Amino acid sequence: MSTRTSDGPARPLRFRWDPRTGMGEEDPAEGRLLVADSWLVEEGAVRGADRHLERFAGACGRSAGIGRDTVAEFWAQALAAVPAAGAWFPRVELRRAREVSLHLLLRPAPERGDRVSVLPWPGPDPRSHPRVKGPDLDRLAGLRQQARRGGADDALLLTSSGLVTESTTSALLWWEDRSLCLPSPALRAMPSVTSALITDLARREGVRVRRRRARLEDLSGREVWLVNALHGIRVVCSWTGSSLVAGPGERAGAWRARLEDLRRPLPSRPPSGGGP
């Protein structure tokens, strides 16, 4: 169910940002990836753009000492570079070569889905920076490929003591009776914009939100979601290589509609220093 624009690029386009001249096309990307963030843009609208900015700017500050005002200037130009028509999945990056620099990867959105099969990963969590999106993306992509060879769409990461945390691409949510649950913040999980949007909606509607130190068996028979900026809410429809039973996705449709209502138009101002 992916959307393409007839005049969009046949391949992703890369840009390096200069605070004096704006976005300049580059190929290939230079330097080591320190921080990344991605979001879905459909017909010029996005969910939680300000939250994505805060997550990215905070990580850039902690990783390289880049001030929020600098990141915000780059961010505004990155948003303005995204076409108003079609479906896009841009990624902003902080990279280090001889010096640190900010980059934009402008790419059409891949296909999206509302169901996902999950392999509980039997090995250790491979991440070195679990709370920062970027440094471990290649490791996670390799693990996801192994899960796909095993017949699943994604892999669920567990702590060394067997507690569930998140998948290689998504935050984990599940329902226990009338409570919406998510892993304890003390665990090795990345702060998720989409999970935060959903749990904020739940609290506003009077739904109890619980932080849990849960094991795999606690998820059996329950409605379990993997959520991220690209897919929104996906219901876990099978647990590959496991005796766990996937619960029905009875609530997902209504919550997808609530999440979709949060989509807002991107700012329409053009880049101040030039751009693509």
Side-chain angles (χ1 to χ4, degrees):
M1 83 183 215
S2 102
T3 305
R4 303 288 191 217
T5 57
S6 60
D7 57 349
R11 59 178 177 81
L13 297 178
R14 284 195 165 276
F15 301 90
R16 185 181 189 275
W17 182 70
D18 185 300
R20 297 163 299 179
T21 59
M23 297 288 186
E25 191 168 349
E26 67 169 358
D27 187 23
E30 295 183 356
R32 179 166 59 93
L33 182 62
L34 301 180
V35 183
D37 214 302
S38 306
W39 61 94
L40 176 66
V41 180
E42 289 189 287
E43 303 304 328
V46 63
R47 292 186 301 260
D50 289 346
R51 296 190 187 217
H52 282 282
L53 168 59
E54 293 307 317
R55 184 172 68 175
F56 183 66
C60 288
R62 293 187 296 272
S63 299
I66 297 181
R68 189 192 181 285
D69 288 348
T70 298
V71 177
E73 183 181 355
F74 158 75
W75 184 270
Q77 294 188 36
L79 294 185
V82 180
W88 302 86
F89 193 50
R91 187 169 89 183
V92 289
E93 302 173 343
L94 175 68
R95 290 181 172 270
R96 184 187 296 277
R98 293 183 298 274
E99 59 185 8
V100 293
S101 53
L102 292 161
H103 303 253
L104 169 66
L105 175 60
L106 183 58
R107 53 193 179 176
E111 293 184 1
R112 279 91 71 202
D114 55 17
R115 293 162 61 85
V116 60
S117 59
V118 178
L119 171 70
W121 185 244
D125 185 336
R127 296 172 296 173
S128 59
H129 298 80
R131 296 185 184 276
V132 180
K133 183 174 181 178
D136 297 305
L137 286 179
D138 287 343
R139 292 187 184 94
L140 292 172
L143 190 152
R144 189 164 60 255
Q145 286 300 319
Q146 293 183 60
R148 287 174 176 168
R149 286 195 290 270
D153 300 310
D154 203 350
L156 183 69
L157 303 174
L158 288 77
T159 68
S160 58
S161 60
L163 301 176
V164 295
T165 58
E166 60 188 333
S167 83
T168 69
T169 64
S170 305
L172 176 69
L173 294 171
W174 70 96
W175 290 88
E176 294 185 8
D177 299 322
R178 296 183 179 181
S179 297
L180 180 61
C181 302
L182 65 163
S184 165
L187 302 179
R188 287 164 50 98
M190 187 182 304
S192 165
V193 170
T194 306
S195 179
L197 291 173
I198 293 169
T199 53
D200 284 354
L201 283 171
R203 291 186 180 99
R204 286 201 294 270
E205 298 201 8
V207 175
R208 184 185 182 190
V209 176
R210 299 179 62 196
R211 298 275 191 168
R212 296 265 281 110
R213 298 174 67 87
R215 299 184 177 276
L216 269 176
E217 55 266 29
D218 297 324
L219 304 183
S220 188
R222 301 194 183 279
E223 181 169 354
V224 181
W225 299 345
L226 291 187
V227 305
N228 64 18
L230 177 62
H231 297 281
I233 296 171
R234 289 183 294 171
V235 175
V236 176
C237 61
S238 65
W239 294 98
T240 303
S242 168
S243 61
L244 270 66
V245 176
E250 298 171 340
R251 300 174 178 87
W255 284 88
R256 286 191 194 102
R258 293 183 179 103
L259 190 60
E260 189 63 22
D261 284 344
L262 298 180
R263 196 173 293 282
R264 298 290 182 270
L266 288 172
S268 58
R269 63 180 182 272
S272 61

